[in-house]
Amino acid sequence: MSRSRSEQLLEAAAPTMDRALRMRFVTEVTAGTISDADYADYLEIEAAFVETATRLHGLAVWGAPNRTALERNARAVHALTTTQADYFREARAAWPVPARPDAARRAEVLSRYALDVAREGGYPAVMTMLFAAESLYLTWCTRAHERGTVPEGAMSAWVSLHADQTFRDGVRALAAEVDALPDDLPQERLTRWFTGMLEAEIAFHDAVFG
């Protein structure tokens, strides 16, 4: 049986995914050793990227090939601008220390990459990049949730959000969208977008530590 496009992407990008799963940020959150100052910076830079993710899903609404895809991306826009926005507003307000002034600037690489590629490749690029990013988060957060020592509170809530069945279903839906992309779109291009997003995720999370 031939492998699906999403399976081919995961296989081709396995070395990059493995590096991403060994990021200092992932390791320290999983072990519960990340400092208050560093996680404060993460809350700042991830809140900024949620705005970018909203724009990506908005572009996907415009380019959606069918009603199912349109509705899924519209729901994502709603969740990002309500549930996730609320999480960051509350977590940042309650966190014991503020983010350092240059935190958001240090992590611009991910938004720059994602928006540039989205402009280049439209809906297929958005689905491929989001599949990369959310596959990474599902994997590391599931491991952290099941086997880690993530501190209770805002950090544990964030990890749990990316390990629950709703998020898992979302990643499965993204895989299905990738599998349904037109056959005349070269797999090599999807691989470039997918691995590029993982590389940008690595740079983004490394920026948490200055």
Side-chain angles (χ1 to χ4, degrees):
M1 180 181 295
S2 61
R3 292 165 301 152
S4 67
R5 302 196 89 171
S6 59
E7 289 170 336
Q8 291 179 59
L9 284 177
L10 290 169
E11 182 176 326
T16 310
M17 181 68 82
D18 286 344
R19 282 198 296 111
L21 292 169
R22 294 195 303 271
M23 291 185 294
R24 177 182 172 186
F25 176 80
V26 169
T27 301
E28 291 193 5
V29 170
T30 300
T33 58
I34 193 167
S35 73
D36 285 347
D38 288 334
Y39 198 73
D41 282 9
Y42 174 72
L43 289 173
E44 180 78 13
I45 70 174
E46 187 67 23
F49 183 72
V50 164
E51 295 180 9
T52 297
T54 303
R55 297 177 190 277
L56 294 174
H57 280 290
L59 179 62
V61 168
W62 178 263
N66 53 58
R67 186 175 182 84
T68 298
L70 185 152
E71 291 178 350
R72 181 190 176 277
N73 283 284
R75 285 195 298 271
V77 169
H78 181 263
L80 288 164
T81 55
T82 54
T83 305
Q84 290 211 19
D86 291 345
Y87 166 83
F88 284 107
R89 185 164 39 253
E90 294 166 6
R92 290 158 73 189
W95 201 251
V97 298
R100 289 165 282 209
D102 65 338
R105 180 193 57 77
R106 294 198 317 262
E108 289 174 348
V109 57
L110 185 58
S111 288
R112 253 194 332 266
Y113 176 81
L115 293 174
D116 285 350
V117 172
R119 293 186 187 102
E120 169 201 336
Y123 182 85
V126 172
M127 291 299 99
T128 303
M129 289 189 295
L130 290 173
F131 179 50
E134 297 197 4
S135 293
L136 168 62
Y137 258 71
L138 176 63
T139 303
W140 86 257
C141 286
T142 297
R143 292 176 180 178
H145 181 68
E146 293 177 350
R147 305 196 293 272
T149 52
V150 183
E152 291 298 319
M155 208 176 301
S156 177
W158 186 242
V159 168
S160 297
L161 179 68
H162 293 86
D164 67 14
Q165 191 59 49
T166 298
F167 192 76
R168 190 176 304 277
D169 290 343
V171 175
R172 188 177 298 114
L174 282 168
E177 291 297 324
V178 169
D179 293 341
L181 292 176
D183 291 338
D184 60 359
L185 190 63
Q187 187 71 18
E188 293 77 12
R189 187 178 304 169
L190 302 188
T191 300
R192 173 167 58 85
W193 292 336
F194 190 95
T195 56
M197 188 65 172
L198 291 178
E199 292 285 3
E201 288 276 6
I202 293 170
F204 172 85
H205 287 86
D206 286 349
V208 168
F209 304 98

